[in-house]
Amino acid sequence: MTRNNYKKEAKKSLKKSIVTFAPIAGTIAILLGFIIFKSVTVYNNSKLVNYDTELNGKIVKISEYKGQTFILFNGESKYWSIDNSSNHNFDPSFLGDFLILNDTILKTTCSDTIRVIRNNTEYIFLIGDRLLNSKEHSDTWIKLWRERRRIVNEKGSCKE
């Protein structure tokens, strides 16, 4: 192969690589941009649901990240962040997977209970409790887990 032929083949190979790699790189850039956007606008800029928080709203957006559930209510601009919560009586059991748009969320002050209202039916979740109604764990383990929940240990203005 002559030197000129080698250069031509190298250019063709480079063009093929660029044509193949460009869509992949573009997709990766879009995904990274989306993750950064979500991180800045939702995950790092949300209001944490605490023991003394009161909630009453209809869900218009839902997002999940690292066990946290992020919900946006109708008429609000900031998401609410709810600690990892599950109720094993429901399918799916994880709050973030269970919620659907237009569900109503109710939480009174000085409470660790989220009430989800859907089609005139009420569903209960304890904030930060991943073992509610679990049949796979001992009562001792469930009690220990409940005592470690952030929301119960950081009662804010509701401390007795």
Side-chain angles (χ1 to χ4, degrees):
M1 182 181 279
T2 66
R3 186 175 177 135
N4 283 340
N5 286 342
Y6 178 75
K7 284 183 179 180
K8 286 179 185 177
E9 289 300 317
K11 283 182 181 179
K12 283 182 186 178
S13 178
L14 179 62
K15 286 180 183 178
K16 283 182 183 177
S17 296
I18 290 171
V19 167
T20 302
F21 181 70
I24 295 169
T27 302
I28 291 170
I30 289 169
L31 287 174
L32 284 174
F34 178 74
I35 290 168
I36 291 168
F37 171 77
K38 279 284 204 176
S39 179
V40 170
T41 62
V42 176
Y43 310 136
N44 294 335
N45 198 24
S46 61
K47 301 177 278 187
L48 185 62
V49 174
N50 292 310
Y51 201 72
D52 55 0
T53 303
E54 182 175 355
L55 298 177
N56 184 352
K58 192 171 284 245
I59 299 174
V60 293
K61 289 188 181 179
I62 306 165
S63 188
E64 303 169 43
Y65 183 67
K66 293 187 176 181
Q68 294 284 105
T69 300
F70 297 88
I71 56 173
L72 183 65
F73 289 129
N74 187 26
E76 293 192 2
S77 59
K78 273 192 169 184
Y79 282 76
W80 286 96
S81 173
I82 303 172
D83 292 349
N84 190 341
S85 306
S86 296
N87 185 334
H88 293 274
N89 280 345
F90 309 135
D91 185 26
S93 62
F94 175 60
L95 177 65
D97 294 332
F98 181 82
L99 293 174
I100 60 174
L101 297 180
N102 294 315
D103 279 350
T104 298
I105 298 286
L106 302 172
K107 182 196 168 301
T108 58
T109 58
C110 303
S111 171
D112 65 346
T113 304
I114 292 280
R115 296 179 1 219
V116 178
I117 311 297
R118 179 186 301 159
N119 299 328
N120 296 322
T121 303
E122 182 175 275
Y123 304 90
I124 301 293
F125 289 84
L126 296 180
I127 299 171
D129 190 343
R130 297 186 309 196
L131 303 177
L132 183 61
N133 298 314
S134 173
K135 313 285 188 270
E136 299 173 12
H137 297 86
S138 70
D139 290 342
T140 306
W141 177 251
I142 292 171
K143 183 178 184 277
L144 178 67
W145 176 254
R146 286 200 176 131
E147 291 171 355
R148 293 181 177 176
R149 292 185 300 142
R150 176 202 59 84
I151 194 164
V152 173
N153 294 321
E154 299 174 6
K155 291 186 177 180
S157 64
C158 294
K159 290 185 179 178
E160 291 134 14

